[in-house]
Amino acid sequence: KQEVTQIPAALSVPEGENLVLNCSFTDSAIYNLQWFRQDPGKGLTSLLLIQSSQREQTSGRLNASLDKSSGRSTLYIAASQPGDSATYLCATAGAGGTSYGKLTFGQGTILTVHP
Amino acid sequence: NAGVTQTPKFRILKIGQSMTLQCTQDMNHNYMYWYRQDPGMGLKLIYYSVGAGITDKGEVPNGYNVSRSTTEDFPLRLELAAPSQTSVYFCASGSLSYNSPLHFGNGTRLTVT
């Protein structure tokens, strides 16, 4: 059974800092890994998707890396802004047997960026 | 492009009542999912479907039923609602094709009293 863990559970930083959010998973048989953002009371918005054959993806100030062999992904946010405050979740899509297509989420990291 | 549409947005049920949460997508995605999110917690998979006519249980299926008669629709049925089913329910769809992210609906906030 896939288990996805995110560290830290919460993070508070001053504006302008570069920061790293961590995601680890127990089963390396994944199709892809996705990072999402969730604002309070809202749905989830996809930020970055990394296929299992890729090492990283970038979008603007966001960079996500994937090390499938060690079961780890990191989301790097450069020059953080108050508007980045949200909950960030990672999810893996299973690639093996009965887990194919099954998406497993971590608990999320609550990020607060203060001015 | 509507994406993933969930109805209703809010609902209050009495214990023992039943209801269906509707989810429809217009992106021709094969994969559809139902998650629940309790306050301060992550998302737990209830049921998912890899195509019309095919459904499978997730992590927390008890008390729920689903059907997938068309590619577009994936309704979630709650029978005999219980207070433990108070949660926010999210429907999502995806294709698992290269570089195709998962799309989420805006959620249904359900309270069972």
Side-chain angles (χ1 to χ4, degrees), chain B:
Chain B
N1 193 347
V4 179
T5 303
Q6 287 185 241
T7 56
K9 288 185 170 55
F10 303 94
R11 184 73 186 267
I12 299 174
L13 281 182
K14 294 190 186 304
I15 294 171
Q17 287 185 322
S18 301
M19 77 164 294
T20 299
L21 281 66
Q22 302 290 347
C23 176
T24 187
Q25 53 95 4
D26 61 1
M27 295 168 283
N28 202 34
H29 286 160
N30 284 331
Y31 293 80
M32 295 188 75
Y33 307 84
W34 275 106
Y35 289 91
R36 61 176 286 174
Q37 186 176 37
D38 299 324
M41 306 291 285
L43 281 82
K44 293 185 178 178
L45 182 63
I46 305 171
Y47 272 95
Y48 68 110
S49 169
V50 301
I54 306 169
T55 62
D56 208 347
K57 295 178 181 178
E59 187 182 352
V60 290
N62 291 344
Y64 307 95
N65 277 302
V66 293
S67 59
R68 185 94 183 271
S69 57
T70 67
T71 299
E72 296 78 18
D73 300 307
F74 191 41
L76 178 71
R77 177 85 178 160
L78 278 72
E79 305 282 0
L80 299 175
S84 61
Q85 293 178 304
T86 294
S87 190
V88 180
Y89 292 83
F90 288 102
C91 179
S93 74
S95 67
L96 280 192
S97 60
Y98 189 83
N99 226 22
S100 176
L102 199 62
H103 294 258
F104 275 82
N106 287 328
T108 295
R109 189 173 297 272
L110 176 68
T111 302
V112 182
T113 62

Side-chain angles (χ1 to χ4, degrees), chain A residues 33-53:
Chain A
L33 184 143
Q34 301 182 53
W35 283 93
F36 295 87
R37 169 186 173 134
Q38 185 177 29
D39 293 293
K42 304 288 187 181
L44 280 75
T45 302
S46 178
L47 296 173
L48 288 166
L49 181 151
I50 311 176
Q51 295 293 130
S52 62
S53 58

Side-chain angles (χ1 to χ4, degrees), chain A residues 7-8 10-22 35 47 61-65 73-88 109-114:
Chain A
I7 294 173
L11 185 61
S12 180
V13 299
E15 182 177 6
E17 272 205 8
N18 301 324
L19 53 97
V20 174
L21 308 182
N22 296 292
W35 283 93
L47 296 173
R61 294 182 294 108
L62 305 180
N63 175 277
S65 67
S73 175
T74 61
L75 179 67
Y76 176 83
I77 302 177
S80 58
Q81 303 170 358
D84 293 330
S85 299
T87 298
Y88 291 80
T109 294
I110 302 171
L111 174 65
T112 304
V113 181
H114 47 88

